[in-house]
């Protein structure tokens, strides 16, 4: 899934398991036991299969129907093997997979004088909860002076993260994926600061609307 993980068996004891010659995955697949694990990272492939201690990734499909030229031609993709200590929940697999899929880009830009003090710091950062991922920062759809910051809990546990903004803002509220205000556990703004305490339930996606 895009926001979260699905734990699957590594055996084929049932007809359902036998029918799943591969399953869909985004960014990574991980095979772990107590104290050790290995993740298979990739940037554009979505079919994985694991049987026993063997893990596979499907690189190409070339069916002849309905498109008889499907997948023909040159293909470019990347993959990496990431061994780690501890179980999946104790690892940095999610972070490594994000860094592999979204590498740092260096671009020349012009910085207005009024925000020159921010040039060496990110506009938004998360701390205090290693299982929370800052996934998206974008302009709001209906208000170009506001920003949406989307975060999610990646490992299946509760969390309370500290979200810090380097941009001054007048208000912040929790919204749904349609960017409409919604009820729920509130976010706590720390006194005299631009930092927020944001609670998370397991695999919860939280979208915040910042009004500058």
């Amino acid at each position: 899934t895009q926001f979260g993980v699905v734990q699957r068996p590594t055996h084929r004891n049932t007809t359902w398991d036998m029918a799943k010659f591969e399953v869909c995955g985004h960014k990574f697949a991980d095979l772990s036991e107590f104290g050790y694990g290995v993740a298979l990272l990739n940037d554009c492939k979505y079919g994985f299969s694991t049987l026993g201690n063997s893990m596979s990734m499907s690189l190409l499909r070339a069916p002849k129907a309905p498109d008889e030229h499907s997948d023909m031609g040159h293909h470019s993709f990347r993959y990496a093997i990431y061994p780690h200590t501890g179980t999946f929940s104790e690892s940095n697999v999610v972070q490594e997979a994000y860094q592999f899929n979204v590498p740092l880009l260096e671009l020349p830009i012009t910085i207005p004088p009024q925000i020159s003090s921010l040039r060496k710091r990110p506009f938004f950062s998360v701390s205090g909860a290693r299982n929370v991922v800052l996934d998206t920062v974008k302009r709001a759809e209906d208000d170009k002076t506001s920003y949406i910051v989307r975060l999610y809990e990646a490992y299946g546990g509760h969390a309370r993260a500290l979200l810090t903004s380097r941009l001054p803002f007048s208000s912040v509220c929790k919204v749904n994926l349609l960017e409409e205000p919604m009820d729920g556990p509130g976010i706590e703004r720390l006194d005299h600061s631009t930092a927020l305490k944001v609670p998370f339930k397991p695999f919860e996606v939280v979208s915040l609307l910042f009004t500058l």
Side-chain angles (χ1 to χ4, degrees):
T1 61
Q2 181 176 2
F3 298 119
V5 293
V6 177
Q7 186 173 353
R8 301 185 185 274
T10 59
H11 54 74
R12 294 176 181 171
N13 288 347
T14 68
T15 55
W16 290 9
D17 293 332
M18 294 177 186
K20 295 176 183 177
F21 63 93
E22 69 174 12
V23 295
C24 181
H26 290 261
K27 299 185 180 67
F28 68 89
D30 182 79
L31 179 61
S32 297
E33 61 180 27
F34 177 78
Y36 179 74
V38 176
L40 184 57
L41 316 180
N42 81 95
D43 65 346
C44 61
K45 301 300 175 182
Y46 306 102
F48 297 94
S49 60
T50 301
L51 180 61
N53 62 353
S54 298
M55 185 161 49
S56 304
M57 179 175 65
S58 300
L59 301 181
L60 289 176
R61 291 183 72 237
K64 291 301 181 182
D67 180 7
E68 63 180 10
H69 302 294
S70 174
D71 280 355
M72 291 185 178
H74 278 291
H75 293 261
S76 177
F77 53 86
R78 299 186 308 138
Y79 68 91
I81 297 174
Y82 175 61
H84 59 84
T85 58
T87 63
F88 170 75
S89 298
E90 299 168 320
S91 71
N92 291 324
V93 169
V94 174
Q95 180 182 2
E96 293 292 333
Y98 262 89
Q99 292 175 348
F100 188 79
N101 277 263
V102 191
L104 182 65
L105 299 178
E106 183 177 351
L107 299 173
I109 61 173
T110 301
I111 301 178
Q114 60 267 29
I115 63 170
S116 60
S117 62
L118 303 177
R119 66 177 63 195
K120 294 183 179 180
R121 296 181 293 175
F123 287 165
F124 296 95
S125 61
V126 178
S127 60
R130 56 178 298 274
N131 54 331
V132 172
V133 175
L134 173 56
D135 181 83
T136 304
V137 177
K138 72 178 192 72
R139 280 188 173 179
E141 295 295 325
D142 299 327
D143 183 0
K144 300 307 180 183
T145 64
S146 299
Y147 286 86
I148 295 292
V149 177
R150 185 165 295 129
L151 313 96
Y152 76 98
E153 197 286 316
Y155 287 91
H158 288 81
R160 192 170 180 83
L162 184 67
L163 174 64
T164 303
S165 170
R166 301 300 181 186
L167 296 175
F169 58 91
S170 59
S171 64
V172 58
C173 69
K174 193 173 182 179
V175 297
N176 58 24
L177 293 181
L178 297 178
E179 301 181 9
E180 302 166 337
M182 59 181 293
D183 298 326
I187 54 178
E188 178 185 350
R189 183 170 181 176
L190 303 185
D191 294 336
H192 310 295
S193 74
T194 57
L196 307 168
K197 285 186 177 180
V198 186
F200 289 84
K201 293 181 291 186
F203 297 129
E204 182 180 11
V205 180
V206 174
S207 297
L208 302 175
L209 175 66
F210 285 82
T211 301
L212 303 182

